[in-house]
Amino acid sequence: LGQQLRGMMLVTVWVFIGIEGASIYSRRAARRADVGRATVIGFLGVWLLLVLVSLLSMGVLSQAELAGLPNPSMAYVLQAIVGEWGATVIIIGSIISVLGALLAWVLLCAEVLYAAAGDGTMPAFLGRENARGVPANALWLSNGLIQLFLLLVLVNSGSYTVLVLLAASMSLVPYFLSTAFGVQLAWRGQAYAGEPGVRWRDFVVALLASAYALWLVYAGGLDNLLLSVLL
């Protein structure tokens, strides 16, 4: 069981990569509290959908039938329940979902580079905006790299899984460092003037998150971690 848990952790991380998207745009938020609220609601919504789809499908078709379904498999699960129109609804929904995800990730990737350029972590040219207030240089660079990786997947079908695991591994170290920084802030009491109860609650949450993130790094394996460091 322990080996099975380790084996599926990177895939699970991949599914939830981007859950911190609201914090990336936090500088544009009118109220900071909305950032945390959006993150939690988004996480719970996606988690609930994943659980429902995974469990309820097993009550519709046998394991062998589920394993043999073409993509998008959820369409044919619903087709087995309500007929042809069920598959059509899911396929249309999938197209809308993919387009929405594409738009969100195009903007998120550019925003990360833009924010890093703003504090000097990345080259200054990535922080330049065009006349419409869009970080154009960051958009060109991030999307150029995305096209390159898509071409690699097109040429070598096996590379998709490799890239998924690598991308998930590369997110684990920043996740751990972020949670560890949360522990440090709460322990020192920085930004917690007059809020001792909130401070220690955040300390416990950050400590648990750090332990979980560290376990994820271990579960991801040393090979992926080393390759992430080299990159």
Side-chain angles (χ1 to χ4, degrees), residues 203-228:
F203 175 77
V204 172
V205 170
L207 198 62
L208 291 173
S210 296
Y212 180 61
L214 196 59
W215 184 78
L216 284 176
V217 172
Y218 163 74
L222 291 178
D223 291 346
N224 286 319
L225 181 61
L226 177 60
L227 191 52
S228 300

Side-chain angles (χ1 to χ4, degrees), residues 128-136:
R128 294 177 194 148
E129 297 180 338
N130 62 16
R132 297 182 181 274
V134 175

Side-chain angles (χ1 to χ4, degrees), residues 84-95:
E84 291 288 340
W85 67 268
T88 304
V89 168
I90 295 295
I91 290 171
I92 293 173
S94 298
I95 293 171

Side-chain angles (χ1 to χ4, degrees), residues 120-145:
T121 309
M122 295 289 282
F125 81 95
L126 294 172
R128 294 177 194 148
E129 297 180 338
N130 62 16
R132 297 182 181 274
V134 175
N137 291 339
L139 275 172
W140 279 110
L141 178 61
S142 58
N143 284 279
L145 289 171

Side-chain angles (χ1 to χ4, degrees), residues 64-93:
E65 289 173 320
L66 287 171
L69 289 177
N71 287 321
S73 55
M74 187 61 209
Y76 302 101
V77 172
L78 194 59
Q79 178 179 293
I81 302 172
V82 300
E84 291 288 340
W85 67 268
T88 304
V89 168
I90 295 295
I91 290 171
I92 293 173

Side-chain angles (χ1 to χ4, degrees), residues 146-160 163:
I146 289 170
Q147 300 309 312
L148 176 62
F149 280 113
L150 286 174
L151 286 173
L152 288 175
V153 171
L154 186 65
V155 173
N156 181 9
S157 59
S159 63
Y160 177 75
L163 289 174

Side-chain angles (χ1 to χ4, degrees), residues 106-126:
V106 164
L107 296 174
L108 279 174
C109 290
E111 189 72 13
V112 170
L113 292 178
Y114 174 80
D119 65 10
T121 309
M122 295 289 282
F125 81 95
L126 294 172

Side-chain angles (χ1 to χ4, degrees), residues 173-184:
V173 174
Y175 281 173
F176 170 69
L177 294 176
S178 297
T179 56
F181 185 58
V183 172
Q184 177 183 307

